[in-house]
Structures are given as structure tokens and as C-alpha cells.
Amino acid sequence: MKFLGQIRTALMLLVFIGCGPDNGEIGNYRYRTDMHEQPSFRNHEHPLTPVKNTVPVNGILEAIRDSASAARLVNPVKPTQANRDSGRFLYQTYCSPCHGIGGKGDGLVAAKFQVPPDLTTPKYRLAPDGYIYYVIRNGRLIMPAYYEAIRSHERWLIVNHLRVLQRQE
Ligand code: HEC
């Protein structure tokens, strides 16, 4: 068992070393590349330069430099029933394998990976919506970044579902 523990520590160290600190924070560990590295146009990248002084009809994508600037973002998603259902579905799909259905950190994958913190504790209850949004987008230490898998609107839906779980204490 001790030997297995050493292997796990070595693997985690490798992952830490691989973390690209391009935003000055630890995280951003990328495990899905999904054909991202290719010459075609990327998401939100357009071949034409927009006309001067115009903005896209969907507005400008928010600039997120670090977790402090993300914490100031305003959650645009209203807690309607349809949004709640989508948030629960997304949370259960993407987060529950590690964080558990109730957010307690008891997901099936966590047992074999790394047990994450209980997200229903006051520390995370008091964390701003934008901070949770940031963690989903950029990951944290060995938690993978989900910016390619989960779109902006979906991240807010998940944040709202986490709030529901936190109220179920
Ligand atoms: C592969 C497992 C895994 C998945 C999937 C995962 N997480 Fe995590 N998460 C972790 C681990 C491990 C940590 C603890 C990281 C650390 O040491 O700071 C963590 C930490 C967090 C934290 C706390 C960050 C902090 O500041 O302490 C939040 C919030 C969080 N995750 C939210 C989510 C949400 C929301 C999802 C779904 C979109 C998700 N996680 C998916 C493993 C995972």
C-alpha cells in the first residue's frame, strides 16, 4: 500500500509540473484536447475583423484574468425550474463522479483519484458565484479545467445547482 501511495504522489507531482501557469494561478490542467490543436478557426475566432466600434450581438465575452476578477462576475442565470433541471443534469454529468451527487466529495471516481473538498461547507457556501465559475472554467490543482467541455452559460447553471445542494444541509 505504501508503494501505491508513492506512485500516486509521483503521478500527482508530474501533473503539477504539467500545469500551465499561463494565468498566473495553479490549475488549468488540460486533459481533454478534443482536436483543439489544429489550424481551423477556434471558438469565437472569426476570419473577418469586426467593423470598428461594433460588438457581437451576444455581447463581448467577459475577460477573466484571475480568480479575483472572476469573483466579481454577475451570475446572469435566473433560478427558473427549467434552469434548475439543466443545472442538476450538468452537475450530475460533469461534477458528481468526483464531488458526489450531494457535493460531499464522495463520488465514485474520487475514491480512486483524489478526494475533493466537501462543497457544502461554509467556505464554499460563502464563496462568490464567480469564484465557483472560475474553478469550473480553469480547474484547480489536479481538478481538470472544463473550459472546453462546459460553456459559459452551463457553468452558471452548475453554480446554481451547487447553491441548491448547499441549501439542503
Ligand atoms: C476528476 C475529478 C473532479 C471533477 C470531475 C470535478 N472536480 Fe472539482 N475538484 C476536484 C479536486 C481533486 C479538487 C480539490 C483541488 C484542490 O486540491 O484544490 C476539486 C475542487 C473543487 C472546488 C474547490 C476549489 C477551491 O477553491 O478549494 C470546487 C468549487 C469544485 N471543485 C467544483 C467542481 C465542479 C462544479 C465540477 C463540475 C463541473 C467539478 N468540480 C468537477 C476534482 C474534480
Side-chain angles (χ1 to χ4, degrees):
M1 277 325 278
K2 192 159 173 253
F3 181 59
L4 278 179
Q6 283 168 347
I7 293 184
R8 198 174 74 164
T9 311
L11 282 175
M12 279 169 61
L13 272 174
L14 277 178
V15 169
F16 289 153
I17 293 165
C19 293
D22 53 13
N23 58 353
E25 303 208 24
I26 306 171
N28 239 351
Y29 142 57
R30 183 178 199 166
Y31 78 137
R32 292 172 54 112
T33 48
D34 287 1
M35 299 172 71
H36 191 70
E37 308 298 345
Q38 53 163 302
S40 62
F41 290 109
R42 301 210 169 155
N43 235 352
H44 308 296
E45 192 180 39
H46 200 271
L48 303 173
T49 323
V51 179
K52 207 162 167 267
N53 297 329
T54 59
V55 291
V57 284
N58 292 332
I60 300 169
L61 220 62
E62 71 276 18
I64 301 175
R65 287 174 302 281
D66 50 30
S67 58
S69 64
R72 289 192 293 271
L73 294 173
V74 177
N75 184 344
V77 174
K78 302 277 168 287
T80 61
Q81 190 57 49
N83 283 343
R84 274 198 208 106
D85 292 345
S86 308
R88 188 180 55 244
F89 175 77
L90 289 164
Y91 175 89
Q92 289 181 352
T93 304
Y94 291 103
C95 320
S96 74
C98 292
H99 288 279
I101 294 284
K104 301 277 188 194
D106 53 356
L108 293 176
V109 172
K112 301 197 184 305
F113 180 62
Q114 168 76 27
V115 177
D118 178 350
L119 298 180
T120 62
T121 55
K123 178 178 177 194
Y124 298 109
R125 223 177 288 157
L126 296 173
D129 283 3
Y131 179 76
I132 310 276
Y133 175 97
Y134 180 84
V135 174
I136 300 172
R137 183 180 185 270
N138 292 57
R140 194 181 134 89
L141 294 177
I142 64 168
M143 174 177 149
Y146 279 93
Y147 61 88
E148 282 161 343
I150 304 178
R151 284 178 299 173
S152 175
H153 179 72
E154 296 173 326
R155 290 176 213 143
W156 291 118
L157 290 168
I158 293 175
V159 169
N160 287 356
H161 182 67
L162 201 57
R163 297 305 188 206
V164 171
L165 295 179
Q166 289 169 340
R167 282 197 297 271
Q168 279 167 3
E169 276 295 274

